[in-house]
């Protein structure tokens, strides 16, 4: 079974400082990894994904994430945080294996990011 | 880009009544649709997976007769909460696999259901 761990319920960072939201995963085979952001009472917005290729993935709104296979991690980063980045962030994984349920995403519990002015 | 339109955004209903939530894919064909439930400050819990023209596959612990899912066309999937009770109050989100986008998914904007 696949799983995602986001060890921090909340991350606080000052505006302008770099931010990191942590994610580790467990999956059979090679993973497809995703980051999504959710604002209150809204659906999920796609930030970035790792499918294959370069381990450093650049996404929307200046976010990036680094795939580290040996550490089974996919931490989300941004060099300079904005107050508008304050939201709930979800890491998700999908197995590359085919078959029933293969399209399903498994989400972490989410990390609330608060950027302090 | 691929958009899933989810309606209503919020709904309040009385206990015992049924509520239907619709998700429409606006510019692509959604062969597979996922339905999630999200409790406050918690992650998304997959309720069921629906494929166009076939019966939905429900996750363990999800009542099939209570949460009716219909995916009769490639552009419309519906979730009906039957005989709703206050414990069904939650945020419901649909998501579709977007073919041809290198494993992309798109999400509806969610429906806040409150049962009184």
């Amino acid at each position: 079974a696949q799983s995602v761990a986001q060890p921090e319920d909340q991350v606080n960072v000052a505006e302008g400082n770099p931010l990191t939201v942590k994610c580790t995963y467990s999956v059979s085979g090679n993973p497809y990894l995703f980051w999504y952001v959710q604002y209150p009472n809204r659906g999920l917005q796609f930030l970035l994904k790792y499918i294959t290729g370069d381990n450093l993935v650049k996404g929307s709104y200046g976010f990036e994430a680094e795939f580290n296979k040996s550490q089974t991690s996919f931490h989300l980063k941004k060099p300079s945080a904005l107050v508008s980045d304050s939201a709930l962030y979800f890491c998700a994984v999908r197995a590359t294996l085919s078959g029933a349920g293969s399209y399903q995403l498994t989400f972490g519990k989410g990390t609330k990011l608060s950027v302090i002015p | 880009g691929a958009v899933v339109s989810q309606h209503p955004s919020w709904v309040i209903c009385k206990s015992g009544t049924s509520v239907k939530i619709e998700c429409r894919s606006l510019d692509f064909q959604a062969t597979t649709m996922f339905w999630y439930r999200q409790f406050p400050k918690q992650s998304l819990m997959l309720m069921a997976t629906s494929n166009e023209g076939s019966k939905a596959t429900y996750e363990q612990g999800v009542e099939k007769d209570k949460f009716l899912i219909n995916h009769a066309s490639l552009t419309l999937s519906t979730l009906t909460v039957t005989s709703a009770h206050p414990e069904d109050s939650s945020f419901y989100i649909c998501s579709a696999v977007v073919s041809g986008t290198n494993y992309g998914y798109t999400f509806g904007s969610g429906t806040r259901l409150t049962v009184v």
Side-chain angles (χ1 to χ4, degrees), chain A residues 19-39:
Chain A
L19 69 87
T20 298
V21 182
K22 296 180 180 177
C23 170
T24 58
Y25 67 90
S26 174
V27 70
S28 298
N30 294 319
Y32 297 151
L33 294 157
F34 303 80
W35 274 103
Y36 293 92
V37 59
Q38 185 183 34
Y39 295 96

Side-chain angles (χ1 to χ4, degrees), chain A residues 58-102:
Chain A
K58 294 187 182 296
S60 306
Y61 314 118
F63 284 93
E64 60 186 31
E66 186 165 10
F67 170 61
N68 187 317
K69 189 172 183 177
S70 62
Q71 298 185 5
T72 62
S73 67
F74 191 57
H75 302 329
L76 181 70
K77 299 183 179 184
K78 186 173 183 180
S80 179
L82 301 173
V83 173
S84 57
D85 292 330
S86 298
L88 189 58
Y89 289 80
F90 289 100
C91 180
V93 68
R94 202 205 98 172
T96 57
L97 300 175
S98 60
S102 59

Side-chain angles (χ1 to χ4, degrees), chain B residues 33-102:
Chain B
M33 191 79 77
F34 302 99
W35 287 93
Y36 296 90
R37 181 174 182 177
Q38 185 180 27
F39 293 99
K41 299 182 180 180
Q42 293 191 27
S43 188
L44 282 73
M45 181 192 79
L46 180 65
M47 299 175 65
T49 302
S50 71
N51 291 294
E52 184 266 337
S54 61
K55 291 184 177 181
T57 301
Y58 290 81
E59 296 299 302
Q60 192 172 7
V62 178
E63 298 178 61
K64 301 178 182 181
D65 295 331
K66 182 165 192 61
F67 299 100
L68 300 179
I69 291 173
N70 185 286
H71 195 161
S73 78
L74 287 171
T75 59
L76 176 64
S77 179
T78 62
L79 166 67
T80 301
V81 183
T82 62
S83 187
H85 291 283
E87 57 266 29
D88 298 325
S89 299
S90 192
F91 193 61
Y92 293 88
I93 305 175
C94 62
S95 173
V97 176
V98 185
S99 300
T101 62
N102 200 13

Side-chain angles (χ1 to χ4, degrees), chain A residues 3-66:
Chain A
S3 65
V4 175
Q6 291 181 244
E8 302 152 318
D9 290 336
Q10 177 146 358
V11 170
N12 297 322
V13 64
E15 185 176 24
N17 282 2
L19 69 87
T20 298
V21 182
K22 296 180 180 177
C23 170
T24 58
Y25 67 90
S26 174
V27 70
S28 298
N30 294 319
Y32 297 151
L33 294 157
F34 303 80
W35 274 103
Y36 293 92
V37 59
Q38 185 183 34
Y39 295 96
N41 292 312
R42 301 297 301 273
L44 274 63
Q45 295 180 28
F46 171 78
L47 284 178
L48 51 81
K49 64 185 176 185
Y50 171 81
I51 303 299
T52 187
D54 289 341
N55 291 340
L56 183 62
V57 179
K58 294 187 182 296
S60 306
Y61 314 118
F63 284 93
E64 60 186 31
E66 186 165 10

